[in-house]
Amino acid sequence: MKLLLLKFFGIYGDSAGRIADVSPALRSSSNLGWVLLLMVVLGVGTIWIYRRISGLPTRQTRILMALRLTLFALLLLLLLRPVLQLTVQGSIRRTLVLLFDNSSSMKIEDARTEGIDRKRAAVVLNEDNLKSIQLDHPSRIDLVRGALTNDRLELTKKLGKLFDLRLYSFGQRLAELDSTAGAAGQRNVLNATSPVTPLGDSLREVLSRSRGQPLAGIVLVTDGQSNAGNSPIAAAEIASAQGVRLFTWGVGLPTARDVVVASVFAPDICFVNDEVPVVIRVRASGLAGQSGSLVVKLGADKIEEKTIAFDQDGEQVLSTQIKPQKAGEYEIEASIAPRADEIVKDNNRATQKIRVVDGKIKVLLVEQQARWEFKYLQALLMRDRRVTLKCYLAEADEGITKDDKGPFLERFPRTKEELLKYDLVILGDVDPNGLSQAQTGWIGEFVSKFGGGLLVISGKKYGPGAWANTPIGKMLPVEFDSMAKGGDVADKPLRLELTPAGERNSMLRLSDQPMESKRLWANLPPIYWDARVQRAKPAAEVLLVDADPAKAYRGTKMPVLAMQQYGLGQVLFSGTDNTWRWRKNTGDKYHAALWGQVVQRMSLPHLLGESKRTQLTSDRAHYSLGDRVTIYARLYDEAYQPVKDTVVRGVAKSGTSESEVMLRAMPDQPGMFRGEFVAPAIGSYQFALPSDPKSVLQIDVSEPRAETGESTMNESLLTEMANATGGQFLHEEDLPKLPEMVQAKTDLVKSKQEVELWASPFYFTLLVAVGGVEWALRKKWQLK
C-alpha cells in the first residue's frame, strides 16, 4: 500500500523504501513574480464574474469561487514546475575481505578442557555433544575449515548476500583464493604449511591491493602470532587511516601449557680453554609454580644441568659458560624435556654452531703517551685470556721497559719479520715522525700482503690528519683535511649513531637480541670529542656516525667508525678516543665487550690464515626451511681493487644438489654485491664463488621454529588491532552475528533525488478533481 501511494506521487524504484526526508520545491522559481501577478488578475476577475452573474446564495457562490481559484492556482503552478526533493539513504554494496592465516602454527592442537573452550569449538564444528572427543584437541586450522563448511553457521553465504567477498590466505606470501570455488574448495587450500607469519606485511599488502575500492572491512582469521615483517599495529593504523575496520577472529586459546627454548647465543668463534659465555632464552606459559630441567651440551658432552622454576608466564634469560678443550667445529645445545601436557613438543630445544681455534691473538698496541683510552684498552686486553699484548709507548719512562716479561717494548719492532708475528696492530695518537718510512711500509705490507688487521684510534695531537701523506693515510677508510691534526676540541656532549651496516655487524653487538643492542647503543653515555673528517672512502663500510648535522658532508653524516679492505687485510678507523666514557655506571660491561669483539674480529683473519680477497656474509647465522637467504659479498681483484662487474655468479651446494645464485652490484658501494635464494631443504649449505672456491660461506637450514616459538593465541594484539580501527575482536560465539556487525559498522550514504510533482498522477488527478467538482456543482445549481 505504501509503495502504491508513493508511486501515485511519482516516486518509483527501490529508493522508495529508503527515504529519509521529503521537501517541496519549485524548479522554475524565477517566474514566481509573473505567476503571482497573473494569479491576482485571474482571482479578481473570478470574484467579479461570480458576484455579478451567478444569482446564487452567498454560500454557494463562495464554494464555486474557491474551486475556480484553486483550479487557476493549480494550472499556474505548472509554470513553476513543482517538484519533491527526496533525501535517500542506504549503503552501497561494498567489498569484504576475509584474510586467513595459513602458517604452520595453525596446526597446533589446543587442549580444550574448560567448558567455555569446548563450547566455542562446538560452534564452528557443528557439534552438539560437548563431551565429543572431536572437541578434545581440534587444530586451529580445523576450526577455520569447520567455520567455512558449517551448514548451520552459513558464514560465507550470509556475508556473500550483503557484500562482495574477496578471500586471501597469508603466510610467506599473500595468495588470493577463488571465491567461486565454494567452501569445500577454500577448505582444501588452507593447509597451514607456511613457516612464518608476516601478519603486518600481509595486512599492508591487502590494503594496497584494495586501494580505491569501497571496503566494508577486513575479517582477519588468525592466532595472532606475528614473527616476520613489519608491525601489525602499524598496519592496523594504516587501515584506520583509510577508514577500513578490522574484525579479528582469534583462533586458539590465550593460555596454554608450553615450554619454549627460544634461542642460544654464543660467539661464533672462540678459543681452546676459553670461558665462553652462553645466553639461553626460555619462555613458559601456563606452568606457574612448576619447574623443568635445562640441559646444556657442547657436542655430545653435557656441560650443565640446572632446574628452572616457572614462577610466571614470560621469558627468562639464563647464563652459563662453556670451556672447549679441543679445536674444531661444535654445536651448543640447550634443551628441556617436553612435558606430557604441552601442546607443542618440538620447541623445547635450540642450538648454535661454534668454531673453536687453538691459539692466542697477538696484539701490538702503539701509542705516543698513556692517554685515558690507552690505559683502559691496555687493562682490558691484558685481562683477556685470548690475547697476548705488547705495548710500545714512544714517550714512556725507561723503567717500564726493563721487565722482559712485561707488556711494554723498548722500541717498535726492528724488522718486518718481527712485526709479522702479530695478528693486530693498534695505532693510537702517534707522531708519524716517530716511525721511519720503512716501519710504516712494513705496516702496509702487514695488512695488504699478509692479511693482518690495523686499528687506528684518533687523538687530539696527531690523528688522523698528521698521517695524510704517509702509507698509513692511504690505508685509512676516511678522507680528511690534512691541515687539521687533531680535529675539533668539543666542550659539549656528542651522540653517535649506528648505521644499518653497524647494526648488522656482529663486532658491535652489545646484546644477543638486535633490537636490544640498538637500544643499548642509543643509551650509551655521550662522548666529548671526535676527529673532524670529511667523508668515508668509496669502498669503506661506515659503522658509526656523528649525529650532528653540522658536521655532515653533502648531507652524509660524518663517519666516526669505519672499516675497509686493504689488500688481504682490513683497516678499522675510530674517530674518537672517548669510548672509555662508556664505562660510566656500567664499568667494563659494554666497553670491554665492544673492544673484545673488535679485537677478535680484526685479528681472526690473520690468525686463521683465511683468504680475504673474497668476503662472504649472510644476513643471519641460521635459517628455517623456506626462509629467504640474503648473501653479501665484498670482492676484490688481483690488484686488491673493488670488482667492477655488475653481476657475479655464486653456487650454493648441499650434498649432490646445487643452486645457482646471482649476486648483483650494490649502488654506491664499490665491490659490494647482494643476492638471495630460498632455502629449499633442511641441511648445511656451502656457498662459494667459482672465481674463489676456497672462500666458503656455511649456511645452516633447520626446521621452522618461529611458528612454534609462541604457542598461545595473542588475544591482546588482535584486540588492539581491532580497537585501533573501530572494529571488533571475535570469539567463536560471535561469528553468527558477524554479518550484522559488519553491516552495522558500514557508513550510510545519503543522496538527493527530485520527483516532478507537476507531472505525477497525483497532480493530474487533483486538477481533474477540482475542475470536475466545479462543473458538477454548476450543473446542479443550474448555471451555464
Side-chain angles (χ1 to χ4, degrees):
M1 185 65 183
K2 177 182 176 182
L3 292 177
L4 184 62
L5 182 62
L6 290 172
K7 289 180 179 179
F8 188 57
F9 282 88
I11 302 173
Y12 302 92
D14 61 353
S15 63
R18 298 182 285 116
I19 298 174
D21 185 48
V22 179
S23 60
L26 300 174
R27 185 176 292 175
S28 302
S29 57
S30 60
N31 298 324
L32 181 60
W34 291 105
V35 170
L36 290 176
L37 179 61
L38 190 56
M39 185 65 198
V40 170
V41 173
L42 291 175
V44 171
T46 299
I47 295 172
W48 182 80
I49 291 173
Y50 266 103
R51 285 183 175 178
R52 186 176 179 86
I53 66 174
S54 68
L56 294 175
T58 302
R59 178 175 174 274
Q60 294 174 344
T61 300
R62 289 178 177 176
I63 292 175
L64 292 175
M65 287 171 54
L67 290 170
R68 178 60 61 89
L69 289 173
T70 301
L71 181 61
F72 283 152
L74 290 173
L75 291 172
L76 290 174
L77 193 59
L78 290 174
L79 299 176
L80 299 176
R81 301 179 68 185
V83 295
L84 290 178
Q85 289 187 339
L86 308 181
T87 300
V88 180
Q89 70 177 14
S91 57
I92 61 174
R93 188 171 177 84
R94 298 192 176 196
T95 299
L96 179 67
V97 173
L98 273 63
L99 185 58
F100 298 99
D101 188 344
N102 203 27
S103 63
S104 57
S105 68
M106 296 294 285
K107 287 183 177 179
I108 293 176
E109 299 178 352
D110 298 290
R112 294 182 177 262
T113 57
E114 301 294 330
I116 183 62
D117 297 328
R118 298 179 72 85
K119 287 180 181 178
R120 286 173 174 167
V123 170
V124 293
L125 296 178
N126 199 9
E127 179 62 62
D128 294 324
N129 182 11
L130 293 182
K131 295 183 179 180
S132 171
I133 192 173
Q134 187 181 0
L135 304 179
D136 289 346
H137 296 88
S139 70
R140 297 170 184 177
I141 199 65
D142 281 342
L143 295 180
V144 177
R145 292 168 177 167
L148 290 175
T149 57
N150 191 329
D151 294 334
R152 186 185 300 176
L153 190 59
E154 293 185 324
L155 185 60
T156 54
K157 181 178 180 181
K158 291 178 180 178
L159 290 172
K161 289 181 179 180
L162 299 172
F163 310 101
D164 295 328
L165 298 182
R166 292 187 67 182
L167 282 67
Y168 295 90
S169 67
F170 71 94
Q172 277 185 302
R173 59 187 61 85
L174 187 72
E176 186 165 8
L177 308 181
D178 185 0
S179 58
T180 64
Q186 294 148 11
R187 172 193 175 106
N188 294 333
V189 175
L190 298 176
N191 48 24
T193 56
S194 173
V196 291
T197 311
L199 183 54
D201 287 353
S202 301
L203 184 54
R204 282 172 180 253
E205 188 173 349
V206 166
L207 291 169
S208 177
R209 292 192 188 187
S210 305
R211 187 169 295 148
Q213 301 179 24
L215 286 185
I218 297 176
V219 179
L220 179 59
V221 182
T222 177
D223 56 15
Q225 298 306 332
S226 181
N227 45 49
N230 292 298
S231 164
I233 297 299
E237 291 172 352
I238 294 174
S240 178
Q242 296 181 9
V244 179
R245 296 179 176 89
L246 296 180
F247 299 86
T248 56
W249 171 22
V251 188
L253 301 182
T255 59
R257 294 190 173 190
D258 194 24
V259 177
V260 181
V261 181
S263 66
V264 175
F265 179 78
D268 293 329
I269 300 176
C270 61
F271 295 84
V272 171
N273 294 323
D274 192 12
E275 293 182 352
V276 181
V278 179
V279 177
I280 303 165
R281 295 181 178 268
V282 177
R283 289 193 296 271
S285 62
L287 295 170
Q290 301 189 46
S291 62
S293 181
L294 175 68
V295 177
V296 181
K297 292 183 177 181
L298 178 63
D301 300 328
K302 182 189 292 187
I303 303 299
E304 185 177 8
E305 182 172 0
K306 62 170 65 174
T307 301
I308 304 174
F310 306 129
D311 295 332
Q312 57 185 359
D313 291 358
E315 185 174 80
Q316 299 184 54
V317 180
L318 308 169
S319 299
T320 187
Q321 288 185 334
I322 61 172
K323 192 174 183 179
Q325 302 297 316
K326 295 180 180 180
E329 300 277 349
Y330 295 92
E331 185 175 75
I332 303 174
E333 176 190 285
S335 63
I336 298 176
R339 299 167 55 93
D341 55 358
E342 283 189 68
I343 61 171
V344 179
K345 295 182 172 60
D346 58 357
N347 57 6
N348 294 54
R349 175 180 174 271
T351 62
Q352 180 182 332
K353 289 187 175 181
I354 65 168
R355 181 178 178 181
V356 181
V357 296
D358 192 1
K360 284 195 172 187
I361 299 172
K362 299 178 181 63
V363 179
L364 174 62
L365 177 56
V366 183
E367 271 285 3
Q368 192 75 18
Q369 297 175 330
R371 55 178 174 163
W372 285 109
E373 192 80 327
F374 168 82
K375 292 178 181 179
Y376 285 110
L377 185 56
Q378 180 206 22
L380 73 87
L381 291 179
M382 289 185 67
R383 292 194 303 269
D384 194 329
R385 296 172 56 183
R386 303 168 299 174
V387 174
T388 298
L389 177 68
K390 290 295 181 180
C391 304
Y392 169 60
L393 276 178
E395 299 180 10
D397 293 333
E398 293 183 3
I400 67 172
T401 62
K402 291 182 178 179
D403 184 3
D404 294 338
K405 296 182 180 180
F408 290 95
L409 298 176
E410 184 177 353
R411 61 181 62 84
F412 190 84
R414 294 181 176 181
T415 65
K416 179 171 62 175
E417 289 72 24
E418 189 178 343
L419 179 66
L420 293 180
K421 294 178 181 178
Y422 296 97
D423 301 305
L424 173 66
V425 174
I426 302 177
L427 198 61
D429 193 17
V430 178
D431 184 356
N433 296 322
L435 298 178
S436 67
Q437 186 174 358
Q439 288 172 327
T440 54
W442 297 343
I443 295 176
E445 289 188 47
F446 166 73
V447 177
S448 63
K449 295 183 178 180
F450 297 94
L454 174 64
L455 167 59
V456 178
I457 303 177
S458 297
K460 299 180 183 66
K461 283 190 174 182
Y462 304 105
W467 293 95
N469 298 317
T470 70
I472 303 298
K474 297 177 182 179
M475 298 166 65
L476 293 178
V478 293
E479 297 176 356
F480 44 84
D481 184 356
S482 60
M483 299 301 293
K485 290 189 176 181
D488 297 332
V489 176
D491 57 358
K492 62 180 181 179
L494 306 175
R495 290 288 179 183
L496 304 184
E497 292 180 356
L498 277 176
T499 65
E503 293 178 20
R504 293 193 302 265
N505 199 302
S506 60
M507 73 179 178
L508 300 190
R509 191 71 62 82
L510 298 181
S511 169
D512 61 310
Q513 297 295 311
M515 294 306 296
E516 174 67 9
S517 178
K518 186 177 179 180
R519 185 191 67 79
L520 290 172
W521 269 102
N523 292 328
L524 286 175
I527 63 172
Y528 284 81
W529 178 84
D530 57 16
R532 180 62 67 94
V533 299
Q534 283 188 347
R535 60 182 176 181
K537 290 180 179 177
E541 185 177 32
V542 179
L543 308 177
L544 275 176
V545 293
D546 191 315
D548 187 356
K551 298 180 181 179
Y553 179 81
R554 295 182 179 178
T556 302
K557 293 181 179 179
M558 187 182 78
V560 177
L561 191 67
M563 67 185 301
Q564 74 171 3
Q565 189 77 16
Y566 187 77
L568 289 178
Q570 290 184 320
V571 179
L572 179 66
F573 166 78
S574 173
T576 181
D577 63 354
N578 270 206
T579 65
W580 58 271
R581 295 183 183 273
W582 293 340
R583 302 176 74 257
K584 182 180 179 180
N585 300 327
T586 60
D588 275 344
K589 184 173 182 180
Y590 301 122
H591 182 259
L594 171 64
W595 282 113
Q597 291 168 175
V598 167
V599 168
Q600 177 173 307
R601 170 68 176 79
M602 296 296 295
S603 304
L604 282 177
H606 184 267
L607 179 66
L608 301 176
E610 296 177 344
S611 169
K612 299 306 295 178
R613 273 184 50 205
T614 299
Q615 301 172 39
L616 301 174
T617 59
S618 57
D619 59 334
R620 299 210 305 270
H622 304 282
Y623 295 89
S624 296
L625 179 63
D627 282 354
R628 186 170 293 276
V629 180
T630 302
I631 295 175
Y632 297 92
R634 187 181 290 273
L635 308 178
Y636 297 87
D637 59 21
E638 294 180 357
Y640 302 110
Q641 296 299 315
V643 170
K644 297 181 180 180
D645 295 343
T646 56
V647 179
V648 296
R649 174 179 169 269
V651 177
K653 296 182 179 180
S654 179
T656 57
S657 65
E658 291 187 2
S659 299
E660 185 178 71
V661 183
M662 305 306 295
L663 284 74
R664 303 186 183 279
M666 299 178 67
D668 303 322
Q669 298 186 52
M672 280 295 294
F673 294 80
R674 180 181 183 274
E676 292 183 342
F677 73 99
V678 176
I682 297 170
S684 294
Y685 291 79
Q686 291 76 41
F687 179 85
L689 303 178
S691 58
D692 189 357
K694 293 183 178 180
S695 295
V696 179
L697 175 66
Q698 183 82 14
I699 300 170
D700 295 315
V701 180
S702 59
E703 286 279 4
R705 285 182 48 84
E707 285 298 298
T708 56
E710 292 286 351
S711 55
T712 57
M713 183 260 290
N714 196 339
E715 183 173 342
S716 60
L717 172 65
L718 297 179
T719 301
E720 186 176 356
M721 292 176 67
N723 292 342
T725 62
Q728 192 167 336
F729 173 79
L730 309 172
H731 285 295
E732 286 78 1
E733 65 266 25
D734 301 317
L735 293 179
K737 299 176 288 186
L738 178 60
E740 290 75 17
M741 288 181 187
V742 180
Q743 192 174 37
K745 295 283 188 178
T746 303
D747 295 331
L748 294 175
V749 179
K750 291 185 177 181
S751 60
K752 297 286 187 179
Q753 295 183 14
E754 281 191 353
V755 175
E756 294 180 331
L757 185 62
W758 60 273
S760 67
F762 164 76
Y763 206 90
F764 177 77
T765 303
L766 188 60
L767 280 172
V768 173
V770 173
V773 170
E774 184 192 4
W775 178 83
L777 291 176
R778 286 174 65 87
K779 290 297 183 181
K780 180 179 179 181
W781 293 330
Q782 298 180 357
L783 290 179
K784 293 182 179 181

